[in-house]
Amino acid sequence: MKKTDSGIPIEEVYTQPSGMNELPGEYPYTRGIRKDMYRGRLWTMRQYAGFSTAEESNKRYHYLLSQGTTGLSVAFDLPTQIGYDSDHAMSEGEVGKVGVAIDSLADMETLFKGITLQNITSSMTINATASTLLAMYVALAKKQGADLSKISGTIQNDILKEYAARGTYIYPVRPSMRIITDIFAWCSNELPKWNTISISGYHIREAGSTAVQELAFTLSNGKAYVKAALEQGLDINVFGKRLSFFFNAHNNLFEEVAKFRAARRIWADMMKDMGATAPEAMMLRFHTQTGGSTLTAQQPDVNIVRVTVQTLAAVLGGTQSLHTNGFDEALGLPTEDAARIALRTQQVVAHESGVTDTVDPLGGSYFIESLTKQVEKEARNLIALIDDMGGSVTAVESGWMQEEIARSSYIYQKEIDNGQKVIVGVNAFQRESHEAAPPILRIDDSIRQMQAQKIQQLKNDRNAENVSSDLHCLGEAAREGKNLMPYILNAVENYATLGEITDQIRQEFGEYKQ
């Protein structure tokens, strides 16, 4: 039995006399999806990283693994996210800036050089081009001789929130939904351990939503994906087990904990109502990232405190994996020192704070239980409103969801401007003296030229006839309603570029225009 530092025994989970009837690991999973939670296994410490070239990002991954990271999380640059090769005119000024540039399987091979994919889990924050990046990952795993049934990880693949909050979309909404269901179906057969979507509230919150809106809009989007999969004849008890979520953690510790607990309860009911019977298909599993929009350029060291509070919120709320932001990310990409401190924050909470010694340590608190119920009630009201509109796809296409987020963002900013909401170092407790900025990681614009040279060499060396044939077959599959994943994988394995594959699909599906 675990004990406090004073030798007091700690129970695995507290029920009576605290008045808690729900148990961890049991429907509706309010108190956690596993009965022993972190007593049995800690969350995955997954540090989000990617910048410049595949070579530089590979060095950062090896560094993070050496420092105790237990899962990798790949950040892609904007051209990669919206389907442009690095040598495209639209890529100018953005190559390698907010993530790593990946133009082909050759770059993916470099990105994971010296890393055995079967031995790690990888999360890839990619949406509009998720099918192509997943195909590259699978092609690399095959080249490494991996057993695909053992490959595990996650692609974000959540296009609805791109239209609502983030903007890295390519195709119209409904063809994009088709690609997502293609991925669900293909992975069910080929990658049974892969999480086919990470339904993201993170970016909805970053765009300015409230915690309740983040919860309601995210779960409504999740419902839309499930319904789309059901319409394609997929088994909810199969694909439902591979759905995951991605939430934000902000500074209001107790509201965030209540949000995570309410999310599990609402999702379990949703999935049950849509026909799920397998317990794992009703469990809401989620990754958390600390709030990027809460970080300040003023007094950036204070961000370490903010990230610590947010880390506690995620852990007390029962997250399955966690990324902690670097304190310097309001200024630029995290330096190596900032990334190490962010990881150490997780490690201190895991191994020194004692919050992992019992399951759902805040369960039974009058405040937490009341707040969980109130967050749940307000989120369910919003979900019902979206259902009445016809679901998330309609709410996004009409612009309603975008307008609601913008309204909340405006109110929040007004509260900061008039001093009603205190932001330490920004509108209160400022430093009078000029403070020196910490070192900032900057990406040179020459990266684009380097990537362009790689692309040209790739095209010189590959079998152009095979690539042309693969792209032609991909276009036909898009027109005929076939599952696109096998055709994308064939093209990737013959070293078609990301941009070529995207352009082929764009010819058939068109582009989304707001």
Side-chain angles (χ1 to χ4, degrees):
M1 178 175 285
K2 291 182 180 290
K3 297 181 180 180
T4 68
D5 291 343
S6 302
I8 299 171
I10 301 172
E11 299 292 337
E12 180 176 345
V13 60
Y14 291 88
T15 51
Q16 302 297 339
S18 65
M20 290 296 295
N21 296 319
E22 293 179 348
L23 292 174
E26 295 183 7
Y27 182 91
Y29 311 108
T30 310
R31 307 194 66 188
I33 62 169
R34 297 195 309 273
K35 66 179 183 179
D36 57 353
M37 286 301 288
Y38 305 133
R39 287 172 64 108
R41 184 178 72 205
L42 291 175
W43 64 91
T44 301
M45 299 182 190
R46 190 185 301 283
Q47 289 304 106
Y48 186 49
F51 58 92
S52 183
T53 61
E55 290 86 352
E56 289 301 315
S57 296
N58 177 261
K59 292 176 186 176
R60 176 64 66 88
Y61 296 157
H62 280 284
Y63 172 76
L64 289 170
L65 289 168
S66 74
Q67 295 298 306
T69 289
T70 53
L72 296 177
S73 184
V74 184
F76 298 98
D77 71 358
L78 283 176
T80 303
Q81 293 182 49
I82 54 179
Y84 293 116
D85 288 335
S86 296
D87 60 356
H88 194 284
M90 290 292 287
S91 300
E92 187 170 356
E94 292 292 347
V95 176
K97 290 294 178 68
V98 298
V100 61
I102 300 294
D103 292 310
S104 71
L105 175 58
D107 285 329
M108 187 68 79
E109 290 166 354
T110 302
L111 185 67
F112 289 101
K113 185 177 180 181
I115 299 171
T116 304
L117 300 188
Q118 191 168 311
N119 295 341
I120 62 163
T121 63
S122 298
S123 174
M124 295 190 284
T125 303
I126 196 71
N127 296 282
T129 56
S131 55
T132 304
L133 272 298
L134 175 60
M136 290 180 185
Y137 194 88
V138 170
L140 175 57
K142 289 170 67 176
K143 291 188 75 170
Q144 289 184 352
D147 179 349
L148 295 186
S149 68
K150 296 179 180 178
I151 293 292
S152 61
T154 305
I155 44 172
Q156 192 161 102
N157 196 28
D158 174 12
I159 203 63
L160 287 176
K161 67 92 175 52
E162 294 297 325
Y163 303 109
R166 192 162 173 267
T168 64
Y169 46 73
I170 300 173
Y171 319 112
V173 178
R174 294 176 194 272
S176 294
M177 292 291 284
R178 170 192 158 182
I179 295 174
I180 288 171
T181 56
D182 281 355
I183 293 170
F184 286 1
W186 186 78
C187 287
S188 292
N189 294 321
E190 304 294 333
L191 293 180
K193 289 190 174 182
W194 192 267
N195 297 323
T196 52
I197 194 168
S198 178
I199 305 158
S200 176
Y202 183 85
H203 302 97
I204 291 171
R205 192 69 176 281
E206 289 293 285
S209 79
T210 65
V212 169
Q213 287 174 328
E214 176 193 358
L215 176 55
F217 295 170
T218 304
L219 297 190
S220 287
N221 289 349
K223 181 188 283 189
Y225 295 127
V226 172
K227 285 187 173 181
L230 291 173
E231 288 170 3
Q232 294 299 314
L234 302 183
D235 185 344
I236 193 171
N237 287 317
V238 176
F239 74 80
K241 297 176 183 178
R242 304 320 314 166
L243 305 179
S244 65
F245 288 81
F246 174 22
F247 287 115
N248 210 315
H250 273 220
N251 292 327
N252 191 315
L253 176 68
F254 298 111
E255 183 177 42
E256 296 301 297
V257 173
K259 178 187 74 180
F260 298 134
R261 298 172 92 247
R264 282 191 292 269
R265 188 184 293 170
I266 296 171
W267 184 247
D269 287 348
M270 270 189 181
M271 290 296 279
K272 186 176 183 180
D273 289 345
M274 287 187 284
T277 55
E280 288 186 2
M282 292 184 276
M283 294 178 183
L284 183 144
R285 298 169 297 113
F286 68 99
H287 170 74
T288 309
Q289 182 173 340
T290 56
S293 61
T294 69
L295 304 179
T296 64
Q298 302 91 332
Q299 301 181 40
D301 288 354
V302 178
N303 291 329
I304 297 173
V305 181
R306 294 185 176 100
V307 169
T308 303
V309 172
Q310 294 162 10
T311 299
L312 281 168
V315 172
L316 291 169
T319 193
Q320 275 61 68
S321 68
L322 177 62
H323 163 84
T324 35
N325 290 328
F327 70 88
D328 55 359
E329 290 191 50
L331 301 167
L333 291 169
T335 60
E336 199 168 272
D337 284 345
R340 186 184 67 255
I341 292 170
L343 177 59
R344 293 289 182 262
T345 301
Q346 293 198 52
Q347 292 166 336
V348 168
V349 169
H351 299 289
E352 297 184 29
S353 71
V355 299
T356 62
D357 289 343
T358 191
V359 180
D360 190 28
L362 293 181
S365 155
Y366 291 116
F367 182 42
I368 282 294
E369 297 303 334
S370 173
L371 197 54
T372 299
K373 290 176 183 177
Q374 191 62 35
V375 168
E376 178 188 3
K377 178 183 176 181
E378 293 192 18
R380 285 186 186 274
N381 288 340
L382 268 179
I383 291 166
L385 184 61
I386 293 170
D387 286 344
D388 289 342
M389 294 179 196
S392 273
V393 171
T394 302
V396 166
E397 288 182 324
S398 68
W400 179 85
M401 195 177 289
Q402 296 91 313
E403 290 172 3
E404 290 299 301
I405 295 169
R407 184 177 294 109
S408 295
S409 179
Y410 173 72
I411 293 170
Y412 181 82
Q413 188 59 50
K414 271 188 72 175
E415 291 175 346
I416 294 173
D417 292 343
N418 64 27
Q420 185 177 347
K421 183 173 288 295
V422 172
I423 306 297
V424 174
V426 176
N427 63 356
F429 312 111
Q430 297 102 327
R431 290 180 63 178
E432 293 182 5
S433 60
H434 178 73
E435 53 184 306
I440 298 173
L441 180 62
R442 300 190 186 278
I443 305 301
D444 195 286
D445 285 332
S446 65
I447 298 300
R448 181 170 183 249
Q449 184 178 352
M450 292 170 56
Q451 285 296 116
Q453 290 172 351
K454 289 182 186 177
I455 292 170
Q456 188 57 56
Q457 188 62 52
L458 176 87
K459 290 181 177 179
N460 291 340
D461 293 343
R462 71 188 184 182
N463 187 314
E465 192 174 310
N466 286 348
V467 172
S468 178
S469 175
D470 288 339
L471 293 175
H472 175 75
C473 291
L474 174 60
E476 283 190 341
R479 283 193 300 276
E480 296 171 5
K482 296 178 181 177
N483 191 306
L484 298 184
M485 283 304 299
Y487 299 92
I488 294 172
L489 181 59
N490 286 342
V492 160
E493 290 182 320
N494 280 314
Y495 292 90
T497 69
L498 174 83
E500 290 171 331
I501 292 169
T502 304
D503 284 345
Q504 189 68 53
I505 300 173
R506 190 187 280 115
Q507 286 179 28
E508 305 302 330
F509 291 166
E511 288 187 319
Y512 177 75
K513 304 292 184 183
Q514 280 191 318

